[in-house]
Amino acid sequence: MKQSKYSLSRPHQFLALGYGLGLAPKAPGTFGTLGALPFIFLSNGWPIWLQIAIAVVFCLVGFWACGKTADDLGVHDHPAIVWDEVAGFYITMMFAPINWLTLLVGFLLFRFFDIAKPGPIRTLDRKLQGGFGIMADDILAGIFSLICLQALIKTGYLTI
């Protein structure tokens, strides 16, 4: 019997695989993105500095967990590794008032930037390796999504 390379009992894999969400048979990145929701709801309304600190911790932990899990699996950015999506979506939703509309628009923006990888996001995805490489493009996708979401809110195009 072949033993699975996945082990959610290993802390780095538990995180990198998005508590198991990354093991979804279809669209693991999309399911993994949803792993940010508990953190988004929990930190909603917290001071900006604290939300930024949480995002930084998510990124630092992700560099380690995603890199170590990629080594375990023998694949640089295995589709099951979704902590980068968790961090990216958390970044997208920082500072936003949380309701179904902002969550939906933020989710769609993040998935667009994560999948389409325009300009510098694509460059990061292609050039960087290891845990930093896995995380960097999603961090930038999250920042682009945050800017777009905030612009939609501030200009009134996204009524909250």
Side-chain angles (χ1 to χ4, degrees):
M1 180 161 72
K2 186 178 178 186
Q3 188 173 13
S4 172
K5 293 182 184 181
Y6 307 117
S7 176
L8 295 177
S9 64
R10 301 179 76 187
H12 65 282
Q13 286 196 19
F14 179 75
L15 290 174
L17 301 176
Y19 347 108
L21 292 170
L23 299 175
K26 301 276 188 201
T30 300
F31 280 100
T33 301
L34 299 175
L37 288 174
F39 302 105
I40 291 167
F41 287 122
L42 180 66
S43 65
N44 182 296
W46 288 4
I48 290 172
W49 69 266
L50 188 51
Q51 291 181 49
I52 293 170
I54 291 168
V56 168
V57 168
F58 278 14
C59 294
L60 294 174
V61 167
F63 298 153
W64 164 75
C66 293
K68 190 162 174 51
T69 300
D71 289 345
D72 291 349
L73 301 178
V75 178
H76 165 61
D77 195 356
H78 192 285
I81 297 174
V82 295
W83 186 257
D84 49 335
E85 277 83 10
V86 172
F89 188 42
Y90 181 83
I91 291 167
T92 299
M93 298 308 299
M94 290 188 315
F95 330 132
I98 303 303
N99 60 50
W100 72 270
L101 186 57
T102 58
L103 285 167
L104 177 63
V105 172
F107 180 84
L108 293 173
L109 283 167
F110 176 70
R111 293 307 297 149
F112 167 76
F113 283 113
D114 186 31
I115 294 167
K117 298 190 187 318
I121 297 171
R122 181 176 310 275
T123 301
L124 290 179
D125 185 53
R126 290 181 178 167
K127 301 270 184 194
L128 301 176
Q129 296 296 311
F132 187 74
I134 293 169
M135 293 288 299
D137 64 306
D138 291 81
I139 293 168
L140 190 54
I143 292 168
F144 281 17
S145 301
L146 175 142
I147 291 167
C148 291
L149 183 61
Q150 289 298 315
L152 290 169
I153 292 168
K154 301 289 187 222
T155 59
Y157 285 107
L158 183 61
T159 308
I160 50 175

